[in-house]
Amino acid sequence: MGTEAAGELGATVRELREAYEGGRTRSVAWRQAQLRGLLRLLREEEAAAFQALHRDLGKHYAEAYRDEVGVLIKSTNGALQQLGKWMAPERVWVPLIAWPATAQVVPEPLGVVLVFSCWNVPLGLSLEPLIGAIAAGNAVALKPSELSPCTAKFLADNIGKYMDASAVKVVQGGPEVGEQLMEHRWDKVLFTGSPRIARAVMAAASRHLTPVALELGGKCPCIFDGDAMASARDVQVSVNRIIAGKWSSCAGQACIAIDYVLVEERFAPVLIKVLKSTLKRFFPEADHMARIVNERHFKRLSRLLKDKDVAPSVLHGGAMDANNLYIEPTILLNPPLDSAIMTEEIFGPLLPIITVKKIEDSIAFVKAMPKPLAVYAFTRDAALRRRIVDETSSGSVTFNDAVVQYAIDGLPFGGVGQSGFGQYHGKYSFDMFSHKKAVMKRGYLVELSLRYPPWDESKVTLMRYLYRFNYFAFVLSFLGLRR
Amino acid sequence: MRIVSRSRKREVSNQTNSPIHPAIRRAACGGRRLPPYIKGLLRLAARCPRRSYPHRTPPPTHPSARPLPSVASCLLRELHRPRPLAMAEEVVRELRASFAAERTRPAEWRAAQLRALVKMVDEKEADISAALHEDLAKPHMESYLHEISLVKASCQFAIKGLNSWMKPEKIPAAITTFPSSAQIVAEPLGVVLIISAWNYPFILSIDPVIGAIAAGNAVVLKPSEIAPATSKMLAKLLPEYVDSSCIKVVEGGVPETTDLLEQRWDKIFYTGNGTVGRIVMAAAAKHLTPVALELGGKCPVVVDSNVDLHVTAKRIAVGKWGCNNGQACIAPDYIITTKSFAPQLVDSLKRVLTRFYGEDPLQSADLSRIVNSKHFQRLTDLIEEKKVADKIVYGGQTDEKRLKIAPTVLLDVPRDTALMTAEIFGPLLPIVTVEKIEECFDLINSKTKPLAAYLFTKNKKLQEDFVANISTGGMLINDIALHLANPYIPFGGVGESGMGSYHGKFGFDCFSHKKGVLIRGFGGEATARYPPYTVEKQKILRGLINGSFIALILALLGFPREKR
């Protein structure tokens, strides 16, 4: 990267810092105005957004609305409604020992924050954090992924039009721009993407002691408990939702998409049968599913599939169209567990089905893998649900559905262990970009001399009573009635 | 590790042309192969001092700029150390096994450990107090007031709160996913590392451990080697009381810490300074481990002229010198007051100090000593600087043999001196004067964000402005340091003073993962979600996502009808 471009970046960062230090981002009015601007952007530029998403990923506009635009409108509305409540200082208790005093927790903006978003949900993963960062009163730099260039351009073109252009900026560019950005000091960095880059981001952030939140992925398992289905309808509904959580979530290119299915041996044939028939019904034409983002990922996925140990396990699909970067919905049965498809995150329209003897074995299977971003399970068995929640660890758990937890504001969204850390969505987004400042106020009324040196044993004794909250003995002792 | 000797400073400033410190480069080229993240750190260490900060004014004073050479030298020494060590690895393996066996999960186990800590504090108060006295000559009352009793209170608070903290939190279900129920479940992170500091070696070790245990984690505690007696005491006492298959103490200095940092942890909690904080975070990045860093900073005290002078002086004095003789991360670092009020404040401080510590404070048993000769040297250098020495209005006596420094008040020290740019962390208290008290905002905001900020005033408007305009970890009005003892507010820094908070339930949260759990029924199947997509489906979906009841009813009735 040339020094000129680096200088330009420096100027952008400086402008953001000035905008923040000028203080206007702190006011409620500013925050509301930005959120309303975002809402207008989403409404007025909807068609352009759909088009950008279609160009980048071949996303059908219905999917684009369901997973990105629609969810964003809902989140922005939610933030606008709740903003006052989020911003209000929270009154908290004070132990009697400090009486008379009051204490509160005051949320304050962190400052200038940086959001790295990802290409698979390029609008959602850019704007969802932006909502929180603005609601919390920060100046924001947004770096969309260069792998979804049309959406990046869409954001760069429109954000300035609808929002305060000097406090919310879009920086376009590739890895070298990302690296340059990390040279600067930020007050928080949110990164969505792969663990490899996340490590570099966190290491760079340590230089400025910048707190980071990392939203990574992982192999999200889906446990299908055929035994605990009440009827054929249950199976059909489950399969519908599995398909929605796999192929109709950006063709499986989503961090919370289902990665593989665990099922008891005896139910595998039923599941596969219903999966096949439903796939046929859901995707009569190719354009109802997104395409693979680029050639590199297409090659990666085809390598996964063409592995000589894996190829024989393909049960359904497997067709590939390199020209249109399209891979047919593909089902595999029991590919070897040490093959790349079962050790790496798939991030594409390939669904391995792994059979287990008993459905309870699936818990051990999930536990043996790194912690995923989400665990899904289809079951009516409450005991199994309890066990899954208690024994496995993951960013979130969803029963009898997939991916929809993303749309629920009340639930924190974020990983644990290898799937990252830091949570957002709804109030959690606001908290992610706020510092909770503890504020305590005391009066001058009561002054206990025993707080002050020179110290002797009698003061220690008095203190003991105080800390034991034995106020009666304290008063007696204070008055000299008790030793 | 806070100290930078003068000679080293010079060494660094001489090599401005080379991006990497020559000694480091020699080691890197001539020696063995370095782990890549250490290489990165070295490069970073060499680069940092010359980075400028366009937005915050004084670049050379930025904390990242100062003490890095000493870090580099620590790392260097580290790289040349023969490594027999598999100890850290062994410890982690054992704890992982205990955690995987779910020993730490049951509420009973957690409560039992916390009760054992209370028992330890009750039974071994004398031992703890003696260790603290050996390390810091800490007066018994201070040890009791700030460390022992607070640990106990903190344990009891956690025992009381444990069940309600562990209970899953019910979340109102959204229309979008009707019918469904949702909750947030707190689960332990796993095996965590706690590295504590030397200034409050007991409470800063045990308090985070309380949070980690309450949250159901297995814990390794690394007490500071700079307070060796307390470190030894902890290593001996803890296994006597708590479950030593899940809670371990590892003693040691830089080499042991480095080995620990190379392991994979589920959280690292570090208390100390920003330089090491950076190293901890960079090491954590390797395993994507979240960190909490409890650092320090220059904590300002703003004194308005309308205060109860005597009470104010007493509270400042006890908050500064009564807290480990100023060696506390939340101790007042400097005072800002008006020019006209300063003489009265100084007089009052003098009177109070004489009453507290007598005519010869070096002989007072109620004052802690400086932790070691390195820090003693650093502090005496600060006041012996030419521009500073004549600003002393009270105190200034030192006793090198016993590592004692008397409470020292300085007036109008030039703002470009080390005393006014570095964190003091000792018994020196400079007073900065301004024309109008409102100037304090710009002064404080021109520095990095401190861990605490204090204000003495009866003026409600000034209090409000202070809360609104000063960014700091915590804030206390009309008193010093007392907010630390309130378990209902979070304790932790922001910006240069760190990240992450603890105390009370915040400590539990610090070591928990909040897992969102959504349970949906099989009813309420909205075909509008699924492909093939049609215009009618789109309409219903719009309503559903925005929480419209009509859309919900339509969707539940199965609209739009599917052709089979």
Side-chain angles (χ1 to χ4, degrees):
Chain A
M1 182 176 196
T3 46
E4 197 181 309
E8 202 179 298
L9 209 59
T12 305
V13 177
R14 207 154 37 241
E15 200 183 329
L16 284 172
R17 184 67 61 184
E18 272 159 20
Y20 174 72
E21 278 171 7
R24 70 170 179 281
T25 65
R26 287 173 174 256
S27 76
V28 194
W30 184 87
R31 305 184 197 193
Q32 282 171 339
Q34 302 319 305
L35 291 173
R36 287 204 193 95
L38 185 60
L39 215 48
R40 274 198 304 124
L41 184 158
L42 290 168
R43 293 213 170 107
E44 290 171 19
E45 307 291 340
E46 188 185 272
F50 288 161
Q51 199 180 15
L53 290 168
H54 191 264
R55 272 204 208 138
D56 282 334
L57 292 152
K59 254 189 208 184
H60 192 279
Y61 72 89
E63 193 188 320
Y65 184 83
R66 189 193 61 199
D67 295 351
E68 307 209 39
V69 178
V71 176
L72 284 168
I73 291 176
K74 174 201 58 88
S75 296
T76 319
N77 275 325
L80 270 168
Q81 269 166 24
Q82 311 262 334
L83 191 60
K85 215 159 82 191
W86 293 347
M87 286 175 67
E90 187 193 347
R91 253 299 185 57
V92 295
W93 272 79
V94 183
L96 213 55
I97 189 170
W99 188 85
T102 58
Q104 50 185 0
V105 179
V106 182
E108 62 173 29
L110 287 169
V112 184
V113 302
L114 172 63
V115 175
F116 283 107
S117 89
C118 193
W119 52 263
N120 57 340
V121 188
L123 208 59
L125 295 179
S126 300
L127 298 182
E128 190 73 49
L130 186 71
I131 295 169
I134 291 170
N138 297 281
V140 194
L142 173 64
K143 155 81 178 64
S145 169
E146 75 282 6
L147 301 180
S148 49
C150 300
T151 316
K153 187 163 175 303
F154 167 80
L155 287 167
D157 288 348
N158 288 301
I159 285 206
K161 262 197 265 173
Y162 291 89
M163 301 168 90
D164 179 346
S166 54
V168 183
K169 287 190 179 290
V170 178
V171 181
Q172 294 189 81
E176 68 291 342
V177 173
E179 232 168 82
Q180 287 278 349
L181 279 169
M182 285 311 296
E183 293 280 313
H184 294 273
R185 185 168 69 84
W186 303 95
D187 295 302
K188 179 108 189 184
V189 175
L190 170 69
F191 170 83
T192 307
S194 73
R196 190 176 55 84
I197 303 173
R199 290 191 179 92
V201 167
M202 187 171 170
S206 71
R207 258 179 286 178
H208 298 289
L209 285 174
T210 303
V212 291
L214 306 176
E215 302 292 338
L216 316 174
K219 288 183 85 67
C220 302
C222 170
I223 298 168
F224 181 86
D225 179 12
D227 226 1
M229 300 277 168
S231 61
R233 181 183 172 276
D234 280 3
V235 175
Q236 181 61 56
V237 169
S238 303
V239 165
N240 288 350
R241 293 175 180 179
I242 289 174
I243 293 176
K246 179 74 184 181
W247 292 284
S248 100
S249 294
C250 198
Q253 303 170 95
C255 45
I256 49 169
I258 293 171
D259 194 281
Y260 61 96
V261 172
L262 289 162
V263 62
E264 268 180 41
E265 255 162 34
R266 57 202 172 107
F267 289 110
V270 183
L271 175 66
I272 291 164
K273 197 180 115 228
V274 183
L275 266 174
K276 281 184 182 171
S277 65
T278 314
L279 274 174
K280 210 169 287 162
R281 196 149 49 82
F282 275 9
F283 300 108
E285 296 151 56
D287 77 326
H288 286 273
M289 191 176 85
R291 64 164 165 79
I292 307 306
V293 61
N294 59 22
E295 211 170 313
R296 192 167 67 84
H297 280 274
F298 184 85
K299 279 195 182 133
R300 176 183 65 82
L301 287 163
S302 60
R303 240 197 327 271
L304 288 182
L305 212 50
K306 281 180 183 151
D307 184 327
K308 71 174 186 333
D309 297 329
V310 172
S313 58
V314 174
L315 273 189
H316 176 84
M320 283 184 247
D321 176 356
N323 291 330
N324 295 315
L325 297 177
Y326 177 80
I327 299 181
E328 195 187 358
T330 304
I331 301 172
L332 303 94
L333 185 63
N334 284 327
L337 294 181
D338 56 351
S339 59
I341 198 168
M342 281 313 292
T343 53
E344 289 168 18
E345 187 178 358
I346 296 173
F347 227 69
L350 322 175
L351 182 71
I353 293 174
I354 307 292
T355 57
V356 288
K357 279 258 170 327
K358 286 182 60 198
I359 200 68
E360 282 76 16
D361 299 343
S362 58
I363 292 177
F365 190 95
V366 171
K367 275 173 82 174
M369 308 275 248
K371 298 179 181 180
L373 192 53
V375 167
Y376 302 110
F378 289 85
T379 179
R380 280 187 188 266
D381 180 355
L384 181 67
R385 286 209 293 254
R386 191 74 261 147
R387 281 196 61 192
I388 290 172
V389 171
D390 286 348
E391 294 178 26
T392 69
S393 180
S394 60
S396 66
V397 183
T398 300
F399 292 106
N400 303 332
D401 211 330
V403 181
V404 288
Q405 79 272 22
Y406 179 84
I408 302 203
D409 284 342
L411 287 178
F413 180 81
V416 60
Q418 290 300 296
S419 50
F421 55 84
Q423 299 180 311
Y424 69 121
H425 282 207
K427 168 112 189 333
Y428 297 93
S429 297
F430 177 84
D431 290 344
M432 169 178 274
F433 293 105
S434 297
H435 164 57
K436 296 287 173 98
K437 181 163 68 178
V439 176
M440 198 159 132
K441 291 181 189 170
R442 287 208 72 206
Y444 286 102
L445 194 62
V446 174
E447 193 57 6
L448 291 175
S449 63
L450 61 98
R451 267 180 76 187
Y452 303 113
W455 285 317
D456 52 48
E457 263 319 302
S458 70
K459 284 184 178 173
V460 178
T461 312
L462 280 172
M463 267 297 158
R464 272 184 216 282
Y465 290 138
L466 266 187
Y467 271 111
R468 268 183 229 148
F469 303 104
N470 190 346
Y471 296 106
F472 183 65
F474 171 76
V475 172
L476 285 183
S477 178
F478 194 72
L479 298 174
L481 296 174
R482 178 178 173 158
R483 313 197 132 252
Chain B
M1 249 179 273
R2 272 167 189 278
I3 307 167
V4 191
S5 73
R6 290 240 171 93
S7 59
R8 274 209 179 282
K9 250 187 210 160
R10 233 171 280 129
E11 228 177 283
V12 165
S13 57
N14 284 342
Q15 44 94 40
T16 39
N17 294 328
S18 152
I20 298 182
H21 194 284
I24 299 170
R25 188 150 16 130
R26 269 200 303 282
C29 303
R32 19 185 294 218
R33 241 183 95 240
L34 309 178
Y37 81 99
I38 291 210
K39 264 194 221 162
L41 271 176
L42 291 176
R43 227 175 297 132
L44 184 165
R47 226 159 17 149
C48 260
R50 286 178 293 114
R51 175 157 298 116
S52 64
Y53 295 83
H55 17 265
R56 293 231 178 235
T57 7
T61 68
H62 199 278
S64 70
R66 278 173 298 102
L68 275 164
S70 73
V71 176
S73 73
C74 286
L75 280 170
L76 265 185
R77 229 178 302 135
E78 189 40 34
L79 293 169
H80 288 290
R81 181 175 58 88
R83 291 173 179 248
L85 252 297
M87 200 266 286
E89 224 178 305
E90 196 51 49
V91 168
V92 176
R93 193 173 315 132
E94 189 186 335
L95 289 189
R96 285 231 175 265
S98 306
F99 181 75
E102 310 209 331
R103 292 188 64 147
T104 64
R105 288 225 178 195
E108 300 77 50
W109 181 88
R110 307 183 195 190
Q113 306 314 308
L114 295 172
R115 277 196 299 271
L117 285 178
V118 173
K119 191 157 163 253
M120 178 181 93
V121 169
D122 278 342
E123 291 179 1
K124 304 288 176 178
E125 187 185 319
D127 296 10
I128 299 165
S129 196
L132 292 170
H133 195 268
E134 196 180 327
D135 282 330
L136 293 150
K138 213 176 251 197
H140 175 61
M141 175 76 172
E142 256 189 54
S143 300
Y144 178 75
L145 200 59
H146 297 150
E147 306 217 43
I148 296 164
S149 67
L150 274 183
V151 162
K152 196 173 152 186
S154 186
C155 275
Q156 284 164 336
F157 190 82
I159 293 170
K160 243 197 229 154
L162 193 59
N163 282 324
S164 74
W165 297 347
M166 286 175 69
K167 227 198 201 131
E169 183 191 344
K170 282 248 157 40
I171 299 297
I175 279 187
T176 317
T177 54
F178 180 89
S180 68
S181 67
Q183 50 182 326
I184 298 174
V185 178
E187 62 173 34
L189 290 170
V191 183
V192 302
L193 171 65
I194 293 167
I195 305 176
S196 90
W198 53 263
N199 58 338
Y200 282 86
F202 185 63
I203 189 167
L204 292 182
S205 298
I206 301 293
D207 218 357
V209 170
I210 293 169
I213 292 174
N217 296 280
V219 191
V220 171
L221 167 66
K222 213 296 286 173
S224 170
E225 74 281 11
I226 300 174
T230 314
S231 170
K232 215 167 121 203
M233 179 268 293
L234 285 168
K236 180 174 160 289
L237 284 190
L238 271 182
E240 288 175 21
Y241 287 87
V242 296
D243 179 352
S244 59
S245 68
C246 305
I247 302 164
K248 289 200 179 292
V249 180
V250 174
E251 285 192 273
V254 175
E256 288 79 6
T257 311
T258 310
D259 281 336
L260 285 172
L261 284 175
E262 277 180 18
Q263 310 302 315
R264 185 170 68 82
W265 303 94
D266 296 301
K267 178 117 193 183
I268 301 178
F269 187 103
Y270 167 78
T271 309
N273 63 61
T275 315
V276 179
R278 286 173 164 84
I279 293 184
V280 168
M281 189 172 169
K286 204 174 76 160
H287 296 293
L288 295 172
T289 303
V291 291
L293 305 175
E294 301 292 337
L295 315 173
K298 284 183 87 66
C299 304
V301 183
V302 178
V303 184
D304 197 2
S305 52
N306 61 8
V307 294
D308 291 356
L309 184 58
H310 184 58
V311 176
T312 303
K314 279 204 294 188
R315 288 180 180 178
I316 293 176
V318 80
K320 175 79 179 176
W321 297 284
C323 285
N324 205 18
N325 209 3
Q327 302 169 97
C329 47
I330 52 164
D333 192 282
Y334 62 103
I335 292 180
I336 304 174
T337 190
T338 56
K339 225 171 221 117
S340 52
F341 189 65
Q344 296 175 54
L345 183 64
V346 170
D347 278 348
S348 190
L349 274 174
K350 281 181 186 169
R351 261 203 310 279
V352 166
L353 281 172
T354 317
R355 224 179 75 198
F356 281 4
Y357 302 112
E359 290 300 334
D360 184 3
L362 292 182
Q363 302 306 323
S364 169
D366 295 335
L367 266 181
S368 296
R369 66 165 163 80
I370 306 306
V371 63
N372 57 24
S373 53
K374 241 164 78 174
H375 280 269
F376 183 86
Q377 192 59 44
R378 176 181 64 85
L379 287 163
T380 46
D381 281 357
L382 284 181
I383 41 174
E384 279 161 14
E385 196 177 330
K386 214 163 69 205
K387 287 192 278 186
V388 175
D390 58 339
K391 305 290 184 195
I392 296 176
V393 290
Y394 183 83
Q397 307 94 312
T398 59
D399 177 350
E400 189 164 4
K401 234 192 253 136
R402 289 162 53 231
L403 297 177
K404 287 249 179 181
I405 298 181
T408 303
V409 183
L410 305 98
L411 191 60
D412 281 325
V413 176
R415 294 189 195 171
D416 57 348
T417 52
L419 191 71
M420 282 312 297
T421 52
E423 186 181 356
I424 296 174
F425 224 74
L428 322 173
L429 184 64
I431 298 176
V432 176
T433 57
V434 289
E435 289 297 334
K436 283 185 62 197
I437 200 70
E438 283 76 15
E439 289 170 39
C440 71
F441 297 134
D442 284 340
L443 188 65
I444 297 172
N445 285 332
S446 72
K447 296 180 188 291
T448 56
K449 297 180 181 177
L451 186 57
Y454 305 103
L455 170 68
F456 286 87
T457 184
K458 287 180 174 172
N459 179 350
K460 282 266 175 325
K461 172 83 177 49
L462 187 65
Q463 292 186 0
E464 276 166 29
D465 289 349
F466 198 71
V467 173
N469 291 318
I470 302 293
S471 182
T472 157
M475 196 171 259
L476 177 54
I477 289 167
N478 291 334
D479 211 325
I480 304 278
L482 215 63
H483 61 302
L484 186 89
N486 184 352
Y488 299 99
I489 50 179
F491 178 73
V494 59
E496 282 292 328
S497 52
M499 57 184 90
S501 60
Y502 69 126
H503 282 193
K505 175 149 195 294
F506 303 96
F508 175 85
D509 292 342
C510 179
F511 291 101
S512 297
H513 165 58
K514 296 292 168 97
K515 181 159 76 175
V517 176
L518 176 68
I519 305 175
R520 284 211 71 199
F522 286 99
E525 183 65 349
T527 47
R529 279 173 67 187
Y530 304 115
Y533 303 114
T534 60
V535 179
E536 294 79 43
K537 282 185 178 181
Q538 174 84 347
K539 270 188 203 145
I540 288 183
L541 205 61
R542 272 174 202 262
L544 255 190
I545 288 175
N546 289 309
S548 144
F549 277 105
I550 297 167
L552 174 68
I553 291 162
L554 283 176
L556 291 185
L557 291 174
F559 281 102
R561 294 281 183 204
E562 257 180 278
K563 289 183 271 306
R564 288 225 170 185

